């Protein structure tokens, strides 16, 4: 028998094999009287005769050629194939169609073509491989309906068609798959009623089906009590569909069930303790984003020990769920927006288990938290927690405490030298005070920093410029001083918001040179504190060709809008209002698409403003200088328009400035939109 180690002994690094050598030369050495051949990860991109050689080996039982860079062979091949091959693994290659030579191998028991680029429909040829027990076509680009020929494979035990673009409904003929134990049709576009599908499956594999995954499709209809008849089912995932109605109580009869996932549907109604009556083996319960209500008796003790629970958007309140006290293996808990309130119980903070992920956001929890024993990620945002920021452990990577009433200083958290793995820190909309400490040297992998809407003072810490985040948001604090030159080192910035502070000085030219991948830039100042950025708008900002949002309003910037701003072709938000800018607005498709509000409060002219420019780019009313009666009338008309606009504008916007709660709500929404759209786009682009 030959195994992968034999290949390695001949070629210590299979990925470096000289592919100018044909497969014939290589495999003849290996294939004498052997039944197992694994060349996975060997570079066979130029071995165009691999089919002829491998399929002719007389004693070959298993052939593994995954991750070999194999592609379609454009020439038709006639293969006098071996009759012995039973296992064929061609996964993670570059095939765009199923090699037809496969279908001459009538004795195949297992075929794996997952992770290729297969297109079009599933070939009917598979129906001729009557001994087939395993078929994996997942992670391709197949876009037809499931052919009836597959349903004739009555020996098929494992069928995975997940992560394709399959459409249509599932035929009742699926009931002929009498040996089926594992069925995965997730991540497609399959339609139809879930009750009809379960009815068909009950005819073939009521006692054999162990795993059923149909998540992320377009299934509809109601679940029925028939679901409880699949006694051997250990994995059930129907998440992200359009399934509605209540959860049948018969689900509590699935005594073999370990994973139950039906989140992101339209399920509604009441869940009772009987739904979990016999689920003694349950380790994963995922049902977020359904309209379900669960109010067990206060003395209920679950028979299961879950490791992961996700019940976001359920109604579990108003008391903190007491039954969680008995989950001794719980490491992943997501119960956001479930209507619980009051002080977080001491027993929960002292559970013997260590959470890897904890999400209690969007509830009404109160009180102080001294310590969080969470390994990876925690989200307590949108509650009513008070007191100083909690202590965290060194492995924490994501901390969301936004929209609470945490107070005190940032120093203990930021200056903790053990926090070297923090990726995201969201502390916005709290009551934090003091300066941002200059202790950012060890935050080397920080990606998101949001400290907006607090009472922070002082200058921007120079060492913050040595982190490499995608997002920095310091909006609506009381910070002052000039922008530190070290920020030029944050070359990965996608969103920078320093608005509504007291920063002074000029807009630095290095913003355009060093931060040219920047998508969102907001330097908007507080309108009634009188501390504004001054000077000209740097020409270099035009280097940020992917910029989508630029807000320089309410400062004391002067000069012209740089002509090369016409290169900013991706702008969908632009505001330079209430500065001292002069001259003609540069002509471009983008700059002329914004409303007058983006330019008001300056001495600008040209479209989209109705004010015309002279040949020298000066507004006509300024050029006329009020020297005639007509000019005087135009000036008065201009003044009346501006006054009318200002009164109307501030009648709507002033509450955002004077009423803090309104302002916080507005900017929280803006944060959400910018953070989700802009930052996610940038990450995907990178």
């Amino acid at each position: 028998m030959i195994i992968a180690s034999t290949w390695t002994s001949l070629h210590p690094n299979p990925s470096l094999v000289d592919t100018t050598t044909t497969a014939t030369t290589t495999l003849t050495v290996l294939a004498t009287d052997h039944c197992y051949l694994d060349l996975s990860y060997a570079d066979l991109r130029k071995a165009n005769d691999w089919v002829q050689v491998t399929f002719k080996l007389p004693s070959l039982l298993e052939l593994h050629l995954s991750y070999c860079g194999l592609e379609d062979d454009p020439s038709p091949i006639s293969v006098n194939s071996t009759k012995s091959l039973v296992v064929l693994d061609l996964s993670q290659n570059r095939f765009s169609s199923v090699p037809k030579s496969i279908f001459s191998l009538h004795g195949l028991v297992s075929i794996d073509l997952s992770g290729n680029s297969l297109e079009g429909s599933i070939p009917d040829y598979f129906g001729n491989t009557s001994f087939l027990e395993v078929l994996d076509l997942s992670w391709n680009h197949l876009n037809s309906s499931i052919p009836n020929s597959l349903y004739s494979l009555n020996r098929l035990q494992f069928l995975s068609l997940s992560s394709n673009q399959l459409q249509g409904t599932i035929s009742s003929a699926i009931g002929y798959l009498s040996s089926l134990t594992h069925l995965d049709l997730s991540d497609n576009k399959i339609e139809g009623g879930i009750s009809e599908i379960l009815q068909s499956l009950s005819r073939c594999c009521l006692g054999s089906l162990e795993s059923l995954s149909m998540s992320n499709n377009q299934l509809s209809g109601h679940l029925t009590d028939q679901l409880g008849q699949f006694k051997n089912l250990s994995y059930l995932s129907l998440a992200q569909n359009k399934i509605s109605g209540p959860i049948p109580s018969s689900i509590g009869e699935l005594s073999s069930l370990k994973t139950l996932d039906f989140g992101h549907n339209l399920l509604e109604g009441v869940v009772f303790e009987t739904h979990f009556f016999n689920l003694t083996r349950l380790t994963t319960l995922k049902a977020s984003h359904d309209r379900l209500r669960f109010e067990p008796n206060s003395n209920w003790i679950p028979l299961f020990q879950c490791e992961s629970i996700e019940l976001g958007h359920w109604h579990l309140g108003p008391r903190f769920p007491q039954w969680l006290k008995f989950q001794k293996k719980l490491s992943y808990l997501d119960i956001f927006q479930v209507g619980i309130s009051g002080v977080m119980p001491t027993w929960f903070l002292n559970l013997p288990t260590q959470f890897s992920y904890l999400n209690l956001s969007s509830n009404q929890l109160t009180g102080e938290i001294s310590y969080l024993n969470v390994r990876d990620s925690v989200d307590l945002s949108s509650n009513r927690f008070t007191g100083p920021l909690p202590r965290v452990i060194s492995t924490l990577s994501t901390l969301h405490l936004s929209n609470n009433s945490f107070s005190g200083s940032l120093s203990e958290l930021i200056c903790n030298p053990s926090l070297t793995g923090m990726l995201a820190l969201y502390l916005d909309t709290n009551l934090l005070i003091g300066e941002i400490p200059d202790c950012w040297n060890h935050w080397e992998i920080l990606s998101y920093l949001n400290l907006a809407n607090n009472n922070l003072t002082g200058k921007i810490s120079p060492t913050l410029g040595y982190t490499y985040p995608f997002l920095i948001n310091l909006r609506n604090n009381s910070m002052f001083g000039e922008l530190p030159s070290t920020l030029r080192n944050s070359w990965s910035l996608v969103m920078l918001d320093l608005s509504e502070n007291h920063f002074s000085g000029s807009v630095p030219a290095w913003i355009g040179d060093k931060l040219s991948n920047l998508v969102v830039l907001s330097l908007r100042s507080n309108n009634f504190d009188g501390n504004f950025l001054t000077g000209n708008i740097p020409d270099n900002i035009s280097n940020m060709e992917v910029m989508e949002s630029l807000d320089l309003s309410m400062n004391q910037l002067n000069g012209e809008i740089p002509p090369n701003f016409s290169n900013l072709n991706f702008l969908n938000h632009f505001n330079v209002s209430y500065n001292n800018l002069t001259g003609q607005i540069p002509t471009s498709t983008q700059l002329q698409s914004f409303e007058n509000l983006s330019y008001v409060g300056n001495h600008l002219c040209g479209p989209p403003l109705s004010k015309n420019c002279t040949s020298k780019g000066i507004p006509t009313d300024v050029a006329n200088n009020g020297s005639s009666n007509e000019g005087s009338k135009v000036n008065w008309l201009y003044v009346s328009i501006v006054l009318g606009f200002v009164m109307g504008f501030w009648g709507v916007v002033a509450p955002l400035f004077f009423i803090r709660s309104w302002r916080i709500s507005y900017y929280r929404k803006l944060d959400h939109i910018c953070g989700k759209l802009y930052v996610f786009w940038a990450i995907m682009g990178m």
Side-chain angles (χ1 to χ4, degrees), residues 488-532:
R488 72 175 68 194
N489 299 312
S490 299
W491 53 267
S492 59
L493 266 177
V494 173
M495 177 179 177
L496 176 62
D497 191 342
L498 306 178
S499 59
E500 291 196 72
N501 281 282
H502 310 315
F503 294 116
S504 58
S506 59
V507 180
W510 49 259
I511 281 185
D513 288 333
K514 301 296 183 179
L515 308 182
S516 59
N517 65 318
L518 203 62
V519 175
V520 180
L521 175 61
S522 181
L523 302 178
R524 173 179 177 153
S525 280
N526 193 310
N527 189 41
F528 28 79
D529 285 337
N531 295 306
F532 306 114

Side-chain angles (χ1 to χ4, degrees), residues 12 26 28 31 73 106 128 141 148 205 252 254 310 396 434 452 459 498 537 569 584 615 649 684:
T26 303
T28 302
D73 192 335
H106 299 297
N128 299 327
H141 306 296
N148 286 334
C205 40
L254 300 177
E310 300 179 36
L396 193 67
K459 299 180 180 180
L498 306 178
I537 300 177
N569 296 320
Q584 184 171 357
S615 59
F649 179 77
M684 295 300 292

